[in-house]
Amino acid sequence: MLSGLSSIFLVTRNIKQIDEVEIENFYLTLIDKTLKPRQSKKKKSTGSPIKTLSSRYIKDIMDALRSLLLRYRPNDVPKFPVFDVEPAVPKQILGVQREMALMDKIPHRHGYRLAIEILLQTGMHINEVRALRRGDLVDGIIVVNKAIADDGRPKNKRKSGGEVFAKVTMDLWNRLQAHVQGKKSSDLIFTIDGENPLGEGRLYKVLKKACADAGVEPISLQMASRHSTATRIKRKHDEAAYAEIAETLGHENRTTGKEHYIVPPTITIN
């Protein structure tokens, strides 16, 4: 469906006469465009600060406009401006110091701390942790092949499909074993009432409150888990590569190869 703003732009112009200058001006208009505060039927607007359009929203609008031009002018599409899409929330990683400060503030009840520790150590999806059952703990390994859908229903597959074998520390494994003592193989590991899985929002709120109680910069559970894990793995392999470069080239300092001998990748456009 074409964006509303793109539609407004098109109804005031002949689609066959739209040129690069008009596209550029429309893009600049979107940058300056603001969204008015939402006003509910029961309550008047609070007059909260007006927000500018996000770069992602602007991209969606421009993409919708380009699609329409491609449809009606496939051989004569004007040039569109190129711009970066900035995430609504800048990406960050948890870090050792912040993790240490947070863990003391995360409660043990309902397995909150265990569930969050699994996320931090493995980087698995939050809905995969919520779907874990006693039978998924096998000889020091967590077998991940299920998830909880957004509507709360169990799914017999992961979001990405397949099966993942996640390793955790021996300390966490032993505490997991103590937590599931007396549970059957088919029982959920983490529940709020002994039967239903933990709500996804509960884990988010627990981490958010822990950040506030610890007096550290807040971080989303997604970034603390998946972004941090991916970054940690990348850094580990980078360090191993720099060590091998130093050994092979005979450098005493590992940064020598990184700073002076690594050739940056080039981009080839076909």
Side-chain angles (χ1 to χ4, degrees):
M1 182 183 292
L2 186 66
S3 161
L5 289 175
S6 297
S7 301
I8 293 172
F9 171 72
L10 288 171
V11 297
T12 60
R13 293 162 175 79
N14 186 325
I15 192 171
K16 295 182 178 179
Q17 296 176 350
I18 295 174
D19 57 20
E20 183 178 333
V21 174
E22 284 198 289
I23 296 292
E24 180 74 21
N25 289 336
F26 179 59
Y27 167 65
L28 294 175
T29 300
L30 292 177
I31 293 178
D32 294 332
K33 187 80 176 175
T34 56
L35 292 174
K36 296 180 180 180
R38 290 184 179 180
Q39 183 173 352
S40 66
K41 296 179 180 179
K42 299 180 181 179
K43 197 168 161 184
K44 292 185 178 180
S45 172
T46 58
S48 56
I50 296 176
K51 297 181 179 179
T52 57
L53 301 180
S54 70
S55 57
R56 168 57 65 183
Y57 190 51
I58 292 174
K59 181 181 184 302
D60 290 342
I61 293 171
M62 298 300 287
D63 285 348
L65 178 57
R66 183 189 286 107
S67 295
L68 196 66
L69 291 172
L70 281 168
R71 179 179 178 183
Y72 292 101
R73 294 170 49 181
N75 300 318
D76 182 31
V77 178
K79 182 179 179 181
F80 274 66
V82 178
F83 61 98
D84 294 327
V85 176
E86 300 178 2
V89 179
K91 293 181 181 179
Q92 56 174 309
I93 61 173
L94 182 60
V96 175
Q97 290 186 331
R98 181 160 49 172
E99 181 177 349
M100 292 175 62
L102 284 175
M103 295 318 295
D104 287 339
K105 304 299 181 181
I106 298 175
H108 291 276
R109 68 178 183 277
H110 304 308
Y112 287 145
R113 180 163 175 167
L114 284 173
I116 289 177
E117 283 189 75
I118 290 175
L119 288 168
L120 301 188
Q121 287 192 23
T122 68
M124 70 175 68
H125 285 288
I126 298 165
N127 281 341
E128 293 170 352
V129 170
R130 297 172 59 219
L132 290 176
R133 297 181 182 274
R134 171 66 181 86
D136 296 326
L137 304 182
V138 183
D139 195 23
I141 299 293
I142 301 176
V143 181
V144 187
N145 53 23
K146 296 179 288 294
I148 300 292
D150 292 337
D151 59 7
R153 293 181 301 170
K155 297 170 56 179
N156 289 324
K157 62 179 181 178
R158 298 173 55 248
K159 180 179 180 180
S160 305
E163 196 170 56
V164 172
F165 302 97
K167 295 184 66 175
V168 295
T169 63
M170 184 59 68
D171 174 64
L172 178 53
W173 177 259
N174 289 336
R175 285 185 284 122
L176 268 173
Q177 290 299 312
H179 178 75
V180 299
Q181 192 71 31
K183 287 181 178 286
K184 296 182 295 186
S185 178
S186 59
D187 288 344
L188 289 168
I189 293 177
F190 303 111
T191 66
I192 195 64
D193 56 7
E195 181 178 352
N196 295 308
L198 286 178
E200 182 180 9
R202 285 179 178 265
L203 293 176
Y204 277 107
K205 290 177 181 178
V206 165
L207 185 66
K208 182 178 180 180
K209 185 176 186 303
C211 288
D213 292 344
V216 300
E217 182 183 1
I219 183 172
S220 73
L221 193 51
Q222 171 85 355
M223 289 186 187
S225 172
R226 296 181 67 76
H227 292 73
S228 299
T229 298
T231 304
R232 184 172 64 248
I233 293 171
K234 173 66 165 57
R235 287 178 176 176
K236 180 178 70 175
H237 287 281
D238 282 350
E239 288 303 313
Y242 296 142
E244 183 178 348
I245 291 170
E247 180 181 358
T248 303
L249 301 186
H251 298 148
E252 293 184 2
N253 194 328
R254 292 184 181 182
T255 62
T256 301
K258 177 182 179 181
E259 295 174 355
H260 302 291
Y261 291 91
I262 301 295
V263 179
T266 57
I267 299 176
T268 302
I269 301 176
N270 296 324

